[in-house]
Structures are given as C-alpha cells and as structure tokens.
Amino acid sequence: MRNLSICLLSTIYAFAFAPAVYAKTVNETGVQTTVSSLAGNYRLAGVMETAAELQLDADGSYKWMLIVGSLDLYSEGKWTQSGGQVILGPHRFDKDTPVFALAGGYPWGSEERDAAFASENIRLKNRAKWQCAFLDTGGYYQSSDDHAAAEGLTPLQRFDAAVESERELRDAYEKAIAAYFARDLSDPDDNLEISARSARRDWGRAVAILASSARAAGKTARYQPPSLPADCFFLSDYTSEYAGDGSGPRIDWNEGVGIWVNRRERPNPRLDIEAEFSFADGSVDTANSHELGFAFAPAADERQLKAIKLSLRHDGSEYASSFDVPPDREARVFEVKLDNRVFVKPPFKELRLDISGDTLVPADGSGGAYLKRD
C-alpha cells in the first residue's frame, strides 16, 4: 500500500493543468473567487505526523492523498465549489470508469502452458471446496473414544477389533456423505456438512488404529475408501489419500488464447476477473483469472480470436471493458493493464473544505489547513 501511495503521490505531482474554467463564486468573506484561482496543488499543514496532498484541477477533477502512521488514504473524482466551500466527492471509480487497458499480444509459449495448468488446478480445487466442503478443514461434532484401540487384548485380537471398527466407521462415513450430497442446497444449515466432516475424522482415526494394530500383529491393513465424485479428488488434502499417484488434472494446453493481468507484478488475490473470448467462427469461451491474474481458453491456431471482454466485480460494483483484437494468428496472449486504484476503498463520501483566500480549511474541524503551493 505504501508503494501504491508513493506512486499516486508522484501522479499528483506530475499532473498537468487543464485550461482554466472561469466560474465565479463568492466565499463567506465576500471575496470573489474563480475555479481557475482555486485550481492548484495544496499541502496540509498544522497537523503533526500527518502528510496530505490535494490537487484541484480546473476541469473539476481532484486527487487527494493522506498518510498518517501506517495508514494511507487516497481518493480522486470530481470537486465542486458551493457556499464558500470546496466539496470533494464522490470517489472517481464508478461502474462507468474504464479500469482496463489492453496492451500488446504475443505467441502462446511455455510460460502460458504452465500458467494454464496452475489456473485449472485452482479452478478445480475451488469447485471441490464448494461441492465437497466437508473435506476441507472446519468444525466437528464432539465424538467419543468408543472406537479407540482396546486394552488388554492380544495383538491379533486388537487387529480384529480394529478391522471391525474401521468397517463400522466407514459405513457411518458413507451414510454421512450420502446425506450431505442429498441436502437442500438452499438451506443455510451446515449440520450435514459438519456431520460428514466428523464422520470423516472418526473413520480416519480408525484407519490409523488399523494400520498400527496390523503392524503389531504382522498383518496387512486393508480398507476401501468411500466413493466420492471426481471433483473431490482435487482438494489438496484429499488427493494423496484417494487419488493414487495423481497430483492434479491432466492438462497440456499446447495451444490457447489468454490474458495476463498486470503481468510481472506481484499477484493480487482480488483479481477475480472474468474474461470472455470471442472468435471469428462465432464461438465464445469464458474463463476466470483467479488470483494468478491469468485467464485462458484452449484454442487451436485456426480458431482466430476476434474480441476480448473483461469484467471485474469489486465492492458491490462491476467494471467491464471490451476490446477488438486485430487479426494476427501470432498474437495469442494479451497483456492487460488494470488500474489498481479501483481496489482503494473510498475514504469519504464527500470532504468539505472552507475557502479562505488561498487556504482550504477542513469544515469538519479536524484541524490543519491546506496551503496552496506557489
């Protein structure tokens, strides 16, 4: 965030003034002012350990930033002048604000194949966490120790007891799984999920007891895991136990089209961007960037990309942009620039500053004053 703030501050310093707009008003001192005379760069003074910059532009736009301790705040949008006050707000980023820019394209290569594999793994694991939530970590019902290894038995007797316990608990686990998948998805009650998770834990303990008792008795521990939908195999803590040597989906996207969002930058976990790829043959594929910032669709060379539509949902708003793609069979992947300022939470709905000559004083009495730079 601090690096972002420094970049934003540099933007404020570098901003070029637009032509002046001469709308006249009168402040409370009776002195006539104009928008052009108020436009300029202001620095907050009189507040300890706080730095703030305000850029008012003659076209009615503003940029504002404040740093106090580890807190960095930023806003930009439109400002107005009314009743002897400068009013900042609302924040610039609304649904009509373009936040995407399409950069150059280049051929699909090994880096894209690796990213496609990682992206598909994320998609499948996320789907598994949604459809097979009881396999993920979470709450359990309190269970008893009725199925713990019995004491005072010979190793062979203990092994036989462990075999019977594993069978009983596997049966209970299978019934809990069946109830979970038959649940009403519109019902917010998660008792069936917790029940399946608890049954899974109890069965796992029985398997561990079976394994140890088998070693002690010189026997082989044999058991069959409950059957589950294939989607469940892609949970990270489930794959090694049930999927044999499989470590993920068998994907080898040697050909495809895709987008990299803010490539070479540190991945942003909020990059939940929907990409829609339209092709010359009329077909359309959709994909999600997930947190990698990479979205793709498998496509052979003869499937010519025609257009890309990008959508981002954030903080209750949706931002979308569409781009026509020039006919170039070599350009299969396109860099996308996303304005990260869209993720900055607006620090205020509006900020009112009283006009006092070349000084702007916070009307809320928070202290200090914005002094105009020469």
Side-chain angles (χ1 to χ4, degrees):
M1 182 67 184
R2 182 54 56 93
N3 290 337
L4 174 62
S5 299
I6 293 174
C7 292
L8 298 176
L9 184 57
S10 299
T11 301
I12 293 176
Y13 286 143
F15 198 87
F17 290 150
V21 179
Y22 295 96
K24 296 183 178 181
T25 62
V26 178
N27 62 22
E28 54 262 86
T29 64
V31 178
Q32 191 176 61
T33 62
T34 65
V35 170
S36 60
S37 67
L38 290 173
N41 183 257
Y42 295 78
R43 176 180 59 84
L44 180 65
V47 182
M48 294 182 61
E49 299 180 355
T50 300
E53 296 282 340
L54 171 62
Q55 175 76 40
L56 298 180
D57 295 309
D59 64 356
S61 61
Y62 75 88
K63 293 182 177 69
W64 173 91
M65 186 181 69
L66 180 144
I67 301 175
V68 53
S70 61
L71 178 64
D72 299 345
L73 300 176
Y74 177 81
S75 179
E76 65 176 85
K78 291 294 185 180
W79 67 278
T80 55
Q81 183 180 351
S82 177
Q85 291 183 326
V86 167
I87 305 171
L88 309 182
H91 193 68
R92 170 176 177 257
F93 289 97
D94 55 34
K95 64 180 181 179
D96 298 323
T97 301
V99 299
F100 296 105
L102 193 67
Y106 54 91
W108 181 275
S110 60
E111 188 175 4
E112 285 66 41
R113 289 196 296 270
D114 292 343
F117 182 86
S119 179
E120 187 69 358
N121 267 282
I122 290 174
R123 183 184 70 83
L124 292 171
K125 288 178 180 179
N126 287 343
R127 187 171 67 178
K129 289 180 179 180
W130 170 255
Q131 296 183 351
C132 314
F134 66 93
L135 294 174
D136 206 3
T137 57
Y140 299 94
Y141 286 129
Q142 187 69 30
S143 59
S144 67
D145 294 328
D146 293 343
H147 302 283
E151 298 296 332
L153 301 177
T154 66
L156 184 57
Q157 289 173 329
R158 190 174 298 174
F159 170 73
D160 291 338
V163 170
E164 184 63 25
S165 176
E166 186 276 328
R167 288 174 180 171
E168 291 178 359
L169 291 176
R170 185 186 64 181
D171 182 63
Y173 184 25
E174 288 178 337
K175 290 179 180 178
I177 291 173
Y180 170 81
F181 283 112
R183 73 193 189 283
D184 181 359
L185 297 180
S186 64
D187 187 351
D189 190 353
D190 61 355
N191 284 339
L192 291 175
E193 177 186 325
I194 296 176
S195 179
R197 187 177 289 123
S198 300
R200 177 195 179 208
R201 182 186 63 170
D202 291 344
W203 175 73
R205 287 176 174 175
V207 169
I209 294 173
L210 174 61
S212 62
S213 63
R215 288 192 297 270
K219 298 288 187 176
T220 300
R222 293 186 174 89
Y223 61 91
Q224 179 63 42
S227 59
L228 289 170
D231 287 344
C232 297
F233 294 158
F234 296 103
L235 277 180
S236 59
D237 67 338
Y238 186 78
T239 300
S240 60
E241 188 175 355
Y242 298 107
D245 296 331
S247 59
R250 298 289 186 246
I251 304 172
D252 183 18
W253 299 118
N254 290 314
E255 297 176 330
V257 296
I259 58 161
W260 276 107
V261 181
N262 291 351
R263 193 181 189 193
R264 308 306 183 196
E265 293 185 12
R266 186 174 182 177
N268 189 325
R270 294 174 292 186
L271 287 179
D272 185 19
I273 296 171
E274 186 82 12
E276 181 181 283
F277 301 100
S278 299
F279 298 89
D281 61 4
S283 60
V284 177
D285 284 350
T286 59
N288 191 287
S289 70
H290 303 293
E291 61 266 29
L292 297 176
F294 179 79
F296 75 99
D301 287 341
E302 60 269 15
R303 199 174 176 208
Q304 178 62 50
L305 184 62
K306 184 178 180 181
I308 298 174
K309 180 181 178 180
L310 303 174
S311 302
L312 168 67
R313 295 176 181 86
H314 175 67
D315 198 23
S317 298
E318 181 175 354
Y319 309 89
S321 297
S322 297
F323 305 94
D324 292 329
V325 176
D328 181 358
R329 296 194 179 277
E330 292 298 320
R332 310 295 289 171
V333 184
F334 292 83
E335 292 192 41
V336 173
K337 298 299 183 182
L338 169 66
D339 192 337
N340 281 317
R341 289 174 296 177
V342 71
F343 296 122
V344 177
K345 185 177 181 179
F348 49 75
K349 290 185 178 180
E350 68 173 25
L351 177 62
R352 290 178 174 264
L353 305 171
D354 293 329
I355 302 171
S356 179
D358 286 343
T359 302
L360 303 178
V361 181
D364 61 3
S366 57
Y370 287 87
L371 307 180
K372 193 172 186 180
R373 292 176 180 270
D374 294 334

